[in-house]
Amino acid sequence: MRSVSVIGVGMSKFGERWDASFRQLVAEAGIMALKDSKIDGSAIQAVFGGCMASGRFLGQEHIGALIVDQLGLNPIASTRLEAACASGSVAFRSGIMAVASGMYDMVAVGGVEKMTEVSVEDAATALGGAGDQEWELFQGATFPALYALMARRHMKEYGTTEEQMALCAVKNHENGSKNPYAQYQNKITLETAMNSAVIASPLKLFDCSPISDGAAVAILCETSKAKKICEQPIEIIASAQASDTLALAQRKSLTELNATKVAAKQAFEQAKLKPKDIQTAEVHDCFTIAEIMAVEDLGFFEKGKAGKAIEAGETKLNSAISVNTSGGLKACGHPVGATGVKQIVEAVWQLRGQGGQRQANGVEHALTHNVGGSGATATVHIFKRA
Amino acid sequence: MRDALPLVWREIPERYNLIGSTCENCKQEFFPQRLICPNCRRKGNLVPKKMPDEGKIFSFTQVHSGAKGFENETPYTLAIVEMPNGVRVLGHIVDAQPEKIEIGTKVKAVFRRIFAEGEEGIIAYGFKFKVAD
Ligand SMILES: [Zn+2]
């Protein structure tokens, strides 16, 4: 297999983008990524796009065709991939496989979602499709409810507290306040988070990522070619994906995501690295408890110890490991199909030293972790400067 | 309006009677029914099996921002219930004071209305759980 690098990235501003249509978001991110890569669009040979539920949110399907059309790249091949909230990173993996295999030398990968055109209730119903429609949604299980069931178990088994969960949100808003692309650029206090409305106990409003619009794009190129045409290519040194039962109740444990553990193990083996070698990680904090489980399942902290570590500030910018420098899903926003690619954009910026006020020091290796649904899909990618 | 209408009719036997599967090869039990045993795959042989109608709360949450179709009963309590055969099932806990519900509380499956579909009132039935005496 050939080595693959990222040679350009771009993202739209995330948020309630009433000013921009679905296709404008795609174009915004795509133009930025193409400019960043300094290549001509004609060099791109195929497109892979991640999108979860445009049919439910907008009545628009056939997103592969829409993306390639909006980027002005017809008639090259373009394919949509869907894995709920992991759609973006699954599309990214398809791009990697296409280049690593030798089928193409250069491809574009996009992720996009526009969620704010429908009511919050309809958005929640659409997102529910990431779980098990027949045995979870049918029973009235919302996504916050599924993660609340995990949180309750984590509290019981490891003594994790609601304050520790809230501190993830406080930290991610702190990082988001330094990210001009973030949906929320305001800091919050622990008190604000703790006093916010209960959504599904023990999770409160500030434990939940928002409903967002946004798009992100990355341009991939075979590494030896990338070194010739790009000043600072970012090499993908691991790409792993794993699966688990669609329904939460059928998992052996509610306090870990096995798909994350399996993907992480494979990724660290591919990269020949250990968790301590990672300086910055974008992890899937769709809920604060998800960030706690993620940093444990990825091996940054022992199982059950992440709550205390977060309380001690060990995941803040430039601490033991800088987690979610972008603001994470909580503050940067979570346009579900775009999130997986946005995490990669942030990893590339951190490795290039383009993180602005949220730049972590001495970044040699960056990791991204994207989850679909309540953990039925997980991906892990690791990056370094080529 | 929910989109679950076809599901309402197709899944009646499992939903009404808590019928799952057991693998004759590895003896593991499953709910809902599976056609392929994830442990044994081709060596496995799954046959229908009535699930126990009692269990203990493994985890729970009180949902204050309810799913569409559940507006009238919000807030409601959802739990993952662990049965004596190791199978875990997600469902509502009904007729209980929230303070009586904790991990380990014994519950019993009961047959209830799950939700009403639209103005016409097509009603979906299924199992819920009630705190055992
Ligand atoms: Zn078996």
Side-chain angles (χ1 to χ4, degrees), chain B residues 23-28 30 37-41 44-46:
Chain B
C23 175
E24 289 184 321
N25 189 42
C26 70
K27 310 297 177 204
Q28 196 180 333
F30 303 96
C37 174
N39 305 326
C40 314
R41 291 185 283 269
N45 184 34
L46 290 170

Side-chain angles (χ1 to χ4, degrees), chain A residues 85-105:
Chain A
C85 323
S87 298
S89 64
V90 167
F92 186 73
R93 283 196 91 235
S94 292
I96 294 170
M97 290 188 277
V99 175
S101 70
M103 182 168 267
Y104 300 113
D105 288 333

Side-chain angles (χ1 to χ4, degrees), chain A residues 56 122 125 133-135 137-142 148-149 152-153 198-201 249-252, chain B residues 2-3 7 10-11 15 32 34 58-62 64-65 67-68 70 76 78 88 92 103 114 127:
Chain A
R56 295 297 295 261
D122 285 336
T125 305
Q133 176 70 241
E134 297 195 19
W135 298 101
L137 262 214
F138 179 90
Q139 300 282 11
T142 59
L149 291 163
R152 179 86 64 197
R153 248 351 265 192
V198 177
I199 302 294
S201 65
Q250 295 173 34
R251 311 242 177 96
K252 284 192 182 75
Chain B
R2 296 171 52 96
D3 296 341
L7 313 177
R10 197 183 319 120
E11 299 295 340
R15 283 226 175 84
R34 283 183 179 271
F58 186 73
S59 192
F60 68 95
T61 175
Q62 196 176 40
H64 290 259
S65 182
K68 234 184 164 184
F70 292 85
Y76 51 91
L78 285 179
R88 294 190 198 134
H92 279 243
I103 289 175
I114 303 282
F127 59 84

Side-chain angles (χ1 to χ4, degrees), chain A residues 178-364:
Chain A
K178 297 170 180 163
N179 182 357
Y181 294 91
Q183 178 162 1
Y184 298 119
Q185 297 173 28
N186 63 310
K187 294 179 194 175
I188 58 163
T189 63
L190 178 61
E191 202 182 11
T192 306
M194 288 298 290
N195 290 334
S196 62
V198 177
I199 302 294
S201 65
L203 300 183
K204 299 170 246 353
L205 183 65
F206 276 86
D207 289 303
C208 310
S209 58
I211 286 167
S212 319
D213 306 327
V217 172
I219 314 287
L220 306 188
C221 181
E222 186 276 318
T223 298
S224 64
K225 186 174 175 179
K227 283 178 177 166
K228 286 178 201 142
I229 60 172
C230 176
E231 249 168 64
Q232 185 51 271
I234 302 299
E235 189 181 358
I236 303 149
I237 54 173
S239 173
Q241 178 180 338
S243 307
D244 204 344
T245 61
L246 186 59
L248 177 66
Q250 295 173 34
R251 311 242 177 96
K252 284 192 182 75
S253 168
L254 293 193
T255 53
E256 63 179 36
L257 298 189
N258 193 50
T260 297
K261 287 177 72 178
V262 171
K265 185 170 183 288
Q266 290 176 6
F268 282 116
E269 279 169 14
Q270 288 172 28
K272 299 184 182 70
L273 294 174
K274 297 214 152 37
K276 65 170 173 45
D277 301 318
I278 306 292
Q279 290 78 37
T280 168
E282 287 289 303
V283 310
H284 196 91
D285 62 317
C286 50
F287 298 92
T288 50
I289 185 63
E291 177 163 322
I292 288 176
M293 292 194 297
V295 294
E296 293 170 352
D297 296 340
L298 292 164
F300 299 133
F301 300 99
E302 253 177 78
K303 183 48 73 183
K305 302 269 173 76
K308 283 212 169 70
I310 284 155
E311 204 166 14
E314 291 174 33
T315 57
K316 285 183 174 174
L317 186 63
N318 288 323
S319 58
I321 177 167
S322 303
V323 176
N324 283 332
T325 52
S326 72
L329 282 55
K330 175 68 195 80
C332 190
H334 184 28
V336 283
T339 284
V341 181
K342 176 226 88 180
Q343 295 176 321
I344 287 151
V345 172
E346 178 71 11
V348 167
W349 283 340
Q350 287 289 336
L351 279 161
R352 287 181 184 163
Q354 296 174 335
Q357 288 191 316
R358 64 185 193 286
Q359 177 65 46
N361 299 329
V363 182
E364 294 295 327

